Amino acid sequence: MRILVVEDYAPLREAVAQGLREAGFAVDAAVDGTEGWWHAEATDYDVIVLDLMLPGIDGLTILKKLRAINRRSCVLILTAKDQLENRVEGLNLGADDYLIKPFAFDELLARVRTLVRRRYDQRDPVLRIGDLEVNTAAQTVRRGSRHIELTAREYALLEYLAVRAGEPVSRTHIWEHVYDFHSDSQSNVVDVYIGYLRRKIESDELPRLIHTKRGQGYMLGDLS
C-alpha cells in the first residue's frame, strides 16, 4: 500500500518514512505543506500521515482541499497535545484518525494498518481467498497448511491484490499503490513480480488464484 508522510521536522519524517518502508509500505515523504499538497493532489494514496503545523500550506488546509476534490485517501493527523481545537476541526473536516506527539512508532503502524483496511472496507485483518490467507497485521501468508515466504515487495503486491480480490486491477493501479517514486520504473516490473508470486503460491496440484484479464490487468480470486 502507498503512504504519504507530510512532516516538516526532518528526524521525525525520516524515521516514520523508514519505519513504514521496513513494514512493507511504499512511502513518499514531503518536507512542507506545499510539497505535501502537490503529492496528495496528484496521487491516490491509501493513507496520508499529515502534520498540522506545516510551513507553506498548513495541514488543515490540505485536508480541506483533499476532501473538496473527493480524494478517498484515509488521513491520520499528527498533533501536539495542546492542539485540541485543531484535532476536533480536523475530524470534522474528514480526518479518519489522529495521533498525539510524541508517539510510539508501533502505535502509528497499527493505526496506519487499520486505516488501510478501512480504505478497502475490510474489517478482518486476515484476508481469505479460497485456501489462501493473507494476515495483514502479521504480514504472513499461508496457503492451506503451508507457510509462504515472500519478500517485502512480493507481499505488498499480494496484499493489494487481496484487498481487491474478485476484481481486475490494472498494471497502472498496481504501480500507483505498491511502488513509490523511488522504485524501479521498468515497464515490466509488475509482470515480473506477478510471475514471482505465481511460482510461490500456485502449483500444478492447486487451483490457480492469480488470473490475467486481457486488457484489464490481474485479478486474485478462487474460480474453481
PDB file of all heavy atoms in Angstrom, residues 23 25 109-110 113-114 117 123-127 134-141 155 159:
ATOM      1  N   ALA A  23       8.177  -1.832   7.119  1.00  0.00           N
ATOM      2  CA  ALA A  23       6.959  -2.594   7.370  1.00  0.00           C
ATOM      3  C   ALA A  23       6.286  -3.038   6.075  1.00  0.00           C
ATOM      4  O   ALA A  23       5.223  -3.667   6.119  1.00  0.00           O
ATOM      5  CB  ALA A  23       5.991  -1.771   8.211  1.00  0.00           C
ATOM      6  N   PHE A  25       5.429  -0.946   3.316  1.00  0.00           N
ATOM      7  CA  PHE A  25       4.662   0.041   2.576  1.00  0.00           C
ATOM      8  C   PHE A  25       5.541   0.769   1.564  1.00  0.00           C
ATOM      9  O   PHE A  25       6.747   0.936   1.778  1.00  0.00           O
ATOM     10  CB  PHE A  25       4.055   1.078   3.531  1.00  0.00           C
ATOM     11  CG  PHE A  25       3.010   0.518   4.448  1.00  0.00           C
ATOM     12  CD1 PHE A  25       3.322   0.200   5.764  1.00  0.00           C
ATOM     13  CD2 PHE A  25       1.712   0.312   4.011  1.00  0.00           C
ATOM     14  CE1 PHE A  25       2.368  -0.316   6.624  1.00  0.00           C
ATOM     15  CE2 PHE A  25       0.747  -0.200   4.862  1.00  0.00           C
ATOM     16  CZ  PHE A  25       1.074  -0.512   6.170  1.00  0.00           C
ATOM     17  N   LEU A 109       2.027   2.579  13.375  1.00  0.00           N
ATOM     18  CA  LEU A 109       1.932   1.495  12.405  1.00  0.00           C
ATOM     19  C   LEU A 109       0.597   0.768  12.517  1.00  0.00           C
ATOM     20  O   LEU A 109      -0.045   0.464  11.496  1.00  0.00           O
ATOM     21  CB  LEU A 109       3.088   0.519  12.612  1.00  0.00           C
ATOM     22  CG  LEU A 109       3.161  -0.690  11.678  1.00  0.00           C
ATOM     23  CD1 LEU A 109       3.253  -0.246  10.226  1.00  0.00           C
ATOM     24  CD2 LEU A 109       4.348  -1.575  12.059  1.00  0.00           C
ATOM     25  N   ALA A 110       0.155   0.497  13.748  1.00  0.00           N
ATOM     26  CA  ALA A 110      -1.135  -0.177  13.937  1.00  0.00           C
ATOM     27  C   ALA A 110      -2.282   0.669  13.397  1.00  0.00           C
ATOM     28  O   ALA A 110      -3.218   0.151  12.769  1.00  0.00           O
ATOM     29  CB  ALA A 110      -1.353  -0.488  15.416  1.00  0.00           C
ATOM     30  N   ARG A 113      -2.253   0.590   9.535  1.00  0.00           N
ATOM     31  CA  ARG A 113      -2.798  -0.673   9.029  1.00  0.00           C
ATOM     32  C   ARG A 113      -4.312  -0.729   9.169  1.00  0.00           C
ATOM     33  O   ARG A 113      -5.019  -1.224   8.283  1.00  0.00           O
ATOM     34  CB  ARG A 113      -2.148  -1.843   9.763  1.00  0.00           C
ATOM     35  CG  ARG A 113      -0.708  -2.103   9.314  1.00  0.00           C
ATOM     36  CD  ARG A 113      -0.043  -3.189  10.121  1.00  0.00           C
ATOM     37  NE  ARG A 113       1.247  -3.553   9.551  1.00  0.00           N
ATOM     38  CZ  ARG A 113       2.198  -4.201  10.216  1.00  0.00           C
ATOM     39  NH1 ARG A 113       1.996  -4.557  11.483  1.00  0.00           N
ATOM     40  NH2 ARG A 113       3.345  -4.498   9.626  1.00  0.00           N
ATOM     41  N   THR A 114      -4.841  -0.197  10.276  1.00  0.00           N
ATOM     42  CA  THR A 114      -6.293  -0.138  10.455  1.00  0.00           C
ATOM     43  C   THR A 114      -6.932   0.740   9.388  1.00  0.00           C
ATOM     44  O   THR A 114      -7.986   0.399   8.822  1.00  0.00           O
ATOM     45  CB  THR A 114      -6.637   0.403  11.854  1.00  0.00           C
ATOM     46  OG1 THR A 114      -6.131  -0.502  12.836  1.00  0.00           O
ATOM     47  CG2 THR A 114      -8.140   0.537  12.033  1.00  0.00           C
ATOM     48  N   ARG A 117      -7.166  -1.004   6.033  1.00  0.00           N
ATOM     49  CA  ARG A 117      -8.322  -1.909   5.969  1.00  0.00           C
ATOM     50  C   ARG A 117      -9.606  -1.119   5.768  1.00  0.00           C
ATOM     51  O   ARG A 117     -10.489  -1.529   4.999  1.00  0.00           O
ATOM     52  CB  ARG A 117      -8.396  -2.757   7.248  1.00  0.00           C
ATOM     53  CG  ARG A 117      -7.256  -3.759   7.380  1.00  0.00           C
ATOM     54  CD  ARG A 117      -7.580  -4.838   8.406  1.00  0.00           C
ATOM     55  NE  ARG A 117      -7.733  -4.322   9.747  1.00  0.00           N
ATOM     56  CZ  ARG A 117      -6.723  -4.169  10.606  1.00  0.00           C
ATOM     57  NH1 ARG A 117      -5.494  -4.479  10.240  1.00  0.00           N
ATOM     58  NH2 ARG A 117      -6.944  -3.712  11.822  1.00  0.00           N
ATOM     59  N   ARG A 123     -12.793  -5.373   7.472  1.00  0.00           N
ATOM     60  CA  ARG A 123     -12.773  -5.331   8.942  1.00  0.00           C
ATOM     61  C   ARG A 123     -11.789  -6.343   9.528  1.00  0.00           C
ATOM     62  O   ARG A 123     -11.120  -6.068  10.511  1.00  0.00           O
ATOM     63  CB  ARG A 123     -14.178  -5.602   9.493  1.00  0.00           C
ATOM     64  CG  ARG A 123     -15.192  -4.512   9.159  1.00  0.00           C
ATOM     65  CD  ARG A 123     -16.563  -4.849   9.721  1.00  0.00           C
ATOM     66  NE  ARG A 123     -17.520  -3.814   9.426  1.00  0.00           N
ATOM     67  CZ  ARG A 123     -17.738  -2.752  10.187  1.00  0.00           C
ATOM     68  NH1 ARG A 123     -17.051  -2.607  11.302  1.00  0.00           N
ATOM     69  NH2 ARG A 123     -18.629  -1.848   9.845  1.00  0.00           N
ATOM     70  N   ASP A 124     -11.744  -7.520   8.918  1.00  0.00           N
ATOM     71  CA  ASP A 124     -10.888  -8.593   9.419  1.00  0.00           C
ATOM     72  C   ASP A 124      -9.471  -8.403   8.886  1.00  0.00           C
ATOM     73  O   ASP A 124      -9.281  -8.240   7.679  1.00  0.00           O
ATOM     74  CB  ASP A 124     -11.444  -9.937   8.950  1.00  0.00           C
ATOM     75  CG  ASP A 124     -10.807 -11.123   9.651  1.00  0.00           C
ATOM     76  OD1 ASP A 124      -9.657 -10.992  10.136  1.00  0.00           O
ATOM     77  OD2 ASP A 124     -11.430 -12.190   9.699  1.00  0.00           O
ATOM     78  N   PRO A 125      -8.455  -8.422   9.751  1.00  0.00           N
ATOM     79  CA  PRO A 125      -7.075  -8.292   9.259  1.00  0.00           C
ATOM     80  C   PRO A 125      -6.610  -9.485   8.433  1.00  0.00           C
ATOM     81  O   PRO A 125      -5.603  -9.391   7.727  1.00  0.00           O
ATOM     82  CB  PRO A 125      -6.249  -8.151  10.539  1.00  0.00           C
ATOM     83  CG  PRO A 125      -7.079  -8.764  11.602  1.00  0.00           C
ATOM     84  CD  PRO A 125      -8.507  -8.499  11.225  1.00  0.00           C
ATOM     85  N   VAL A 126      -7.323 -10.606   8.514  1.00  0.00           N
ATOM     86  CA  VAL A 126      -6.966 -11.790   7.730  1.00  0.00           C
ATOM     87  C   VAL A 126      -7.859 -11.862   6.501  1.00  0.00           C
ATOM     88  O   VAL A 126      -9.078 -11.969   6.603  1.00  0.00           O
ATOM     89  CB  VAL A 126      -7.095 -13.082   8.555  1.00  0.00           C
ATOM     90  CG1 VAL A 126      -6.716 -14.290   7.705  1.00  0.00           C
ATOM     91  CG2 VAL A 126      -6.217 -13.011   9.802  1.00  0.00           C
ATOM     92  N   LEU A 127      -7.240 -11.769   5.328  1.00  0.00           N
ATOM     93  CA  LEU A 127      -7.963 -11.827   4.058  1.00  0.00           C
ATOM     94  C   LEU A 127      -7.895 -13.254   3.536  1.00  0.00           C
ATOM     95  O   LEU A 127      -6.818 -13.856   3.473  1.00  0.00           O
ATOM     96  CB  LEU A 127      -7.343 -10.863   3.053  1.00  0.00           C
ATOM     97  CG  LEU A 127      -7.161  -9.416   3.541  1.00  0.00           C
ATOM     98  CD1 LEU A 127      -6.463  -8.582   2.474  1.00  0.00           C
ATOM     99  CD2 LEU A 127      -8.499  -8.800   3.900  1.00  0.00           C
ATOM    100  N   VAL A 134      -4.061 -14.198   3.867  1.00  0.00           N
ATOM    101  CA  VAL A 134      -3.103 -13.089   3.956  1.00  0.00           C
ATOM    102  C   VAL A 134      -3.394 -12.348   5.249  1.00  0.00           C
ATOM    103  O   VAL A 134      -4.445 -11.707   5.389  1.00  0.00           O
ATOM    104  CB  VAL A 134      -3.227 -12.142   2.756  1.00  0.00           C
ATOM    105  CG1 VAL A 134      -2.204 -11.012   2.862  1.00  0.00           C
ATOM    106  CG2 VAL A 134      -3.056 -12.900   1.441  1.00  0.00           C
ATOM    107  N   ASN A 135      -2.499 -12.458   6.213  1.00  0.00           N
ATOM    108  CA  ASN A 135      -2.668 -11.789   7.501  1.00  0.00           C
ATOM    109  C   ASN A 135      -2.020 -10.415   7.411  1.00  0.00           C
ATOM    110  O   ASN A 135      -0.795 -10.290   7.456  1.00  0.00           O
ATOM    111  CB  ASN A 135      -2.035 -12.619   8.623  1.00  0.00           C
ATOM    112  CG  ASN A 135      -2.350 -12.072  10.003  1.00  0.00           C
ATOM    113  OD1 ASN A 135      -2.353 -10.854  10.215  1.00  0.00           O
ATOM    114  ND2 ASN A 135      -2.618 -12.960  10.943  1.00  0.00           N
ATOM    115  N   THR A 136      -2.836  -9.359   7.288  1.00  0.00           N
ATOM    116  CA  THR A 136      -2.295  -8.015   7.074  1.00  0.00           C
ATOM    117  C   THR A 136      -1.705  -7.410   8.337  1.00  0.00           C
ATOM    118  O   THR A 136      -0.952  -6.440   8.253  1.00  0.00           O
ATOM    119  CB  THR A 136      -3.379  -7.083   6.518  1.00  0.00           C
ATOM    120  OG1 THR A 136      -4.455  -6.962   7.479  1.00  0.00           O
ATOM    121  CG2 THR A 136      -3.947  -7.622   5.213  1.00  0.00           C
ATOM    122  N   ALA A 137      -2.056  -7.948   9.507  1.00  0.00           N
ATOM    123  CA  ALA A 137      -1.466  -7.454  10.754  1.00  0.00           C
ATOM    124  C   ALA A 137      -0.068  -8.032  10.954  1.00  0.00           C
ATOM    125  O   ALA A 137       0.890  -7.319  11.243  1.00  0.00           O
ATOM    126  CB  ALA A 137      -2.366  -7.783  11.940  1.00  0.00           C
ATOM    127  N   ALA A 138       0.043  -9.349  10.799  1.00  0.00           N
ATOM    128  CA  ALA A 138       1.337 -10.024  10.981  1.00  0.00           C
ATOM    129  C   ALA A 138       2.150 -10.038   9.696  1.00  0.00           C
ATOM    130  O   ALA A 138       3.336 -10.361   9.726  1.00  0.00           O
ATOM    131  CB  ALA A 138       1.114 -11.453  11.453  1.00  0.00           C
ATOM    132  N   GLN A 139       1.517  -9.708   8.577  1.00  0.00           N
ATOM    133  CA  GLN A 139       2.141  -9.757   7.253  1.00  0.00           C
ATOM    134  C   GLN A 139       2.705 -11.139   6.956  1.00  0.00           C
ATOM    135  O   GLN A 139       3.855 -11.313   6.561  1.00  0.00           O
ATOM    136  CB  GLN A 139       3.220  -8.682   7.112  1.00  0.00           C
ATOM    137  CG  GLN A 139       2.655  -7.266   7.104  1.00  0.00           C
ATOM    138  CD  GLN A 139       3.657  -6.240   6.637  1.00  0.00           C
ATOM    139  OE1 GLN A 139       4.787  -6.226   7.101  1.00  0.00           O
ATOM    140  NE2 GLN A 139       3.247  -5.376   5.733  1.00  0.00           N
ATOM    141  N   THR A 140       1.853 -12.139   7.165  1.00  0.00           N
ATOM    142  CA  THR A 140       2.200 -13.517   6.860  1.00  0.00           C
ATOM    143  C   THR A 140       1.207 -14.062   5.847  1.00  0.00           C
ATOM    144  O   THR A 140       0.082 -13.571   5.727  1.00  0.00           O
ATOM    145  CB  THR A 140       2.173 -14.396   8.124  1.00  0.00           C
ATOM    146  OG1 THR A 140       0.874 -14.312   8.739  1.00  0.00           O
ATOM    147  CG2 THR A 140       3.235 -13.941   9.115  1.00  0.00           C
ATOM    148  N   VAL A 141       1.639 -15.087   5.122  1.00  0.00           N
ATOM    149  CA  VAL A 141       0.813 -15.681   4.070  1.00  0.00           C
ATOM    150  C   VAL A 141       0.843 -17.197   4.210  1.00  0.00           C
ATOM    151  O   VAL A 141       1.907 -17.798   4.423  1.00  0.00           O
ATOM    152  CB  VAL A 141       1.335 -15.271   2.669  1.00  0.00           C
ATOM    153  CG1 VAL A 141       0.507 -15.947   1.569  1.00  0.00           C
ATOM    154  CG2 VAL A 141       1.308 -13.760   2.507  1.00  0.00           C
ATOM    155  N   TYR A 155       5.075  -9.342  -0.992  1.00  0.00           N
ATOM    156  CA  TYR A 155       3.945  -9.268  -0.068  1.00  0.00           C
ATOM    157  C   TYR A 155       3.070  -8.051  -0.356  1.00  0.00           C
ATOM    158  O   TYR A 155       1.838  -8.141  -0.351  1.00  0.00           O
ATOM    159  CB  TYR A 155       4.428  -9.214   1.391  1.00  0.00           C
ATOM    160  CG  TYR A 155       3.258  -8.978   2.326  1.00  0.00           C
ATOM    161  CD1 TYR A 155       2.460 -10.027   2.734  1.00  0.00           C
ATOM    162  CD2 TYR A 155       2.922  -7.681   2.725  1.00  0.00           C
ATOM    163  CE1 TYR A 155       1.342  -9.802   3.532  1.00  0.00           C
ATOM    164  CE2 TYR A 155       1.809  -7.455   3.520  1.00  0.00           C
ATOM    165  CZ  TYR A 155       1.025  -8.527   3.924  1.00  0.00           C
ATOM    166  OH  TYR A 155      -0.097  -8.302   4.688  1.00  0.00           O
ATOM    167  N   GLU A 159      -0.859  -8.306  -1.105  1.00  0.00           N
ATOM    168  CA  GLU A 159      -1.843  -7.669  -0.226  1.00  0.00           C
ATOM    169  C   GLU A 159      -2.771  -6.747  -1.020  1.00  0.00           C
ATOM    170  O   GLU A 159      -3.982  -6.734  -0.801  1.00  0.00           O
ATOM    171  CB  GLU A 159      -1.149  -6.874   0.883  1.00  0.00           C
ATOM    172  CG  GLU A 159      -2.143  -6.239   1.852  1.00  0.00           C
ATOM    173  CD  GLU A 159      -1.475  -5.418   2.932  1.00  0.00           C
ATOM    174  OE1 GLU A 159      -0.325  -4.974   2.730  1.00  0.00           O
ATOM    175  OE2 GLU A 159      -2.112  -5.201   3.974  1.00  0.00           O
TER     176      GLU A 159
END
